[in-house]
Amino acid sequence: MKTVRKRLLDALFGSGPAARTVDLWLLAAILVSVSVVMLDSAADIGSAWSDRLRIAEIAFTVIFSVEYLLRLFCHPKPSRYAFGFFGVVDFVSIAPTWLAFVLPGWDSLAVLRVLRMFRIFRILSLGRFSRAAMTIGNALEATRYKIGAFVIGVVLISVVAGSLMYLVEGPENGFTSVRASTYWAIITMTTVGHGSLMPATVLGQLLASVLVILGYAVVAIPVGVITSEVLSAKKAREALLTGEETERQEFKSSAFYSYANPNIPQEVIFEASVLKPVAGFLNARGGFLFIGVDDNATPLGIQPDLEIRQWNTEQYVRHLTDRIGEEFGSSAATCTHIRIETVKGLEVCVVEIDPSPDPVWLLKAEKSGKRKLFYVRTNNSTRELDGPEFISYFRKRWD
């Protein structure tokens, strides 16, 4: 029987039906509370509805405060949540309202309540939104040095161009300082334009024209770099299927359907094809599980699974997500990212698994009852560890 803390963990950090229900209610509360902040900031509306808006804001702050405390209570490592990105956002979005009660001067910080909007990213971190956000996030991380070098180059060009414009135009034409000229250069290069500051000399106009032309590169180059990385990542995922099973890669023909013997129970197939390898990757260094691919890296697709269960791909991904969460816990479930990829015209399920921060066990039904098994991915196979082997591995991996 689940404890209250475990139920809260599943509802607030999990991916099952209860978590989705909580997320939908929180999404509605966030949108309404941000609308309250926006209405309160409007002088013509805020003055007439100030009392009602104030009551609504206090009510929403109480709701989010209780949620924040419950997250701290049920999280396996409260400090990790509290000092993580979303934990900080949660705290900062509720703190101004409470501080305003004891420190009247802090009322101006009430605008920070709009940071609640960032929490929508957490709510949309499941399913198709997760896959899209992960693709973009990985592309941004992979190109951060290229983008950083580009930004530094833009800053240097802006400073040099601003300094030259100050020398060419001078204070008599409105370019009163290098700082003002550099600001003009940035605005010009981003193609926004400065309405009240225009070069009067021919040389100044020539320099402005060059900056405007360079401005197109300011938009085009980052977009091109990121797009190239996204396409490169997709090709890399497809290229994985040309290799063999390794310590970080495993192929399974299906999750529910047996090509060799259709009479094998679906639960037995699912345990061997999904739960066992996922447990092995979680306890090791992570990796990729490809469902719908045979041992020779030939795509078979997941259509037999979809037909036997009468599901669409969204229901398929949701079931895998829920079962992994039920079997290994919400914390481990957050380490798995499931998506559907089209490879050679066939739909393949890709389960990307990060290393688990805690050991996970697979409950296996036997005649004498259920037994906890500890699996780990080693070389190109998933094997069980027990006794001295488990103790040695546990100390090396988590101590």
Side-chain angles (χ1 to χ4, degrees):
M1 184 175 180
K2 291 185 178 180
T3 63
V4 174
R5 187 174 182 180
K6 182 64 170 63
R7 291 179 182 274
L8 286 173
L9 181 65
D10 291 340
L12 295 175
F13 292 97
S15 56
R20 285 194 291 272
T21 301
V22 171
D23 285 342
L24 288 175
W25 280 104
L26 285 176
L27 177 60
I30 290 169
L31 294 176
V32 175
S33 68
V34 171
S35 299
V36 169
V37 174
M38 296 173 68
L39 290 173
D40 192 30
S41 65
D44 54 340
I45 298 177
S47 58
W49 291 71
S50 59
D51 293 338
R52 295 170 183 161
L53 293 176
R54 181 64 174 169
I55 292 173
E57 172 52 31
I58 293 174
F60 282 119
T61 302
V62 170
I63 292 172
F64 293 131
S65 298
V66 171
E67 182 218 355
Y68 178 76
L69 293 175
L70 289 176
R71 287 184 182 274
L72 286 176
F73 168 72
C74 70
H75 198 282
K77 296 182 179 180
S79 60
R80 178 179 296 180
Y81 161 70
F83 295 103
F85 174 77
F86 288 115
V88 173
V89 168
D90 290 347
F91 178 78
V92 173
S93 65
I94 62 177
T97 301
W98 297 123
L99 289 173
F101 282 105
V102 294
L103 300 171
W106 288 66
D107 287 342
S108 58
L109 293 179
V111 70
L112 292 177
R113 293 174 298 188
V114 299
L115 290 176
R116 291 170 186 165
M117 292 292 290
F118 281 107
R119 304 180 63 203
I120 293 178
F121 286 104
R122 176 170 62 201
I123 295 173
L124 299 182
S125 63
L126 303 175
R128 66 188 68 181
F129 297 103
S130 175
R131 296 191 295 274
M134 192 183 306
T135 299
I136 296 174
N138 291 339
L140 290 174
E141 182 179 3
T143 59
R144 63 186 185 276
Y145 295 114
K146 296 177 183 178
I147 299 298
F150 175 75
V151 171
I152 292 173
V154 170
V155 171
L156 293 177
I157 292 174
S158 300
V159 173
V160 172
S163 301
L164 292 175
M165 187 60 73
Y166 174 71
L167 291 175
V168 172
E169 296 291 331
E172 61 273 12
N173 290 325
F175 294 84
T176 56
S177 65
V178 174
R179 178 186 59 80
S181 300
T182 300
Y183 172 72
W184 170 88
I186 294 173
I187 293 297
T188 301
M189 191 153 48
T190 54
T191 69
V192 175
H194 198 299
S196 59
L197 197 60
M198 299 291 291
T201 66
V202 175
L203 190 56
Q205 292 171 353
L206 178 62
L207 180 58
S209 300
V210 172
L211 285 180
V212 171
I213 295 173
L214 286 176
Y216 289 103
V218 172
V219 177
I221 291 179
V223 172
V225 170
I226 295 173
T227 302
S228 175
E229 184 61 34
V230 171
L231 294 176
S232 176
K234 184 178 181 179
K235 291 180 180 179
R237 289 194 298 270
E238 293 180 354
L240 286 172
L241 297 178
T242 62
E244 300 177 346
E245 289 188 333
T246 64
E247 185 181 2
R248 299 264 297 159
Q249 178 172 298
E250 184 167 3
F251 305 134
K252 292 296 181 182
S253 299
S254 65
F256 302 100
Y257 176 79
S258 173
Y259 287 88
N261 184 1
N263 296 321
I264 298 177
Q266 296 178 22
E267 188 60 30
V268 174
I269 299 173
F270 186 81
E271 181 180 296
S273 298
V274 179
L275 297 180
K276 178 180 174 181
V278 167
F281 283 125
L282 285 169
N283 288 324
R285 297 193 301 118
F288 292 86
L289 170 64
F290 294 90
I291 304 174
V293 180
D294 68 13
D295 292 339
N296 296 319
T298 302
L300 302 175
I302 59 171
Q303 192 60 33
D305 281 342
L306 299 179
E307 291 177 356
I308 198 173
R309 300 305 293 256
Q310 296 183 344
W311 287 340
N312 57 33
T313 54
E314 187 173 350
Q315 292 171 314
Y316 187 87
V317 171
R318 185 185 305 135
H319 181 80
L320 264 62
T321 302
D322 292 344
R323 282 298 311 277
I324 291 173
E326 292 169 3
E327 190 69 36
F328 304 122
S330 300
S331 179
T334 59
C335 297
T336 60
H337 318 284
I338 306 174
R339 62 182 180 272
I340 303 297
E341 298 280 356
T342 301
V343 181
K344 297 182 180 179
L346 297 171
E347 290 182 319
V348 171
C349 181
V350 182
V351 186
E352 184 176 355
I353 304 136
D354 300 326
S356 174
D358 303 296
V360 300
W361 283 266
L362 175 62
L363 285 175
K364 187 176 180 64
E366 297 181 345
K367 293 182 178 180
S368 58
K370 290 189 174 181
R371 187 165 66 96
K372 283 186 174 182
L373 301 179
F374 183 87
Y375 289 106
V376 64
R377 184 72 178 176
T378 304
N379 296 324
N380 62 346
S381 64
T382 303
R383 56 187 293 255
E384 180 189 354
L385 296 184
D386 58 5
E389 282 187 320
F390 166 75
I391 296 174
S392 176
Y393 184 83
F394 181 89
R395 288 174 177 172
K396 181 177 66 174
R397 171 75 165 79
W398 284 286
D399 279 1

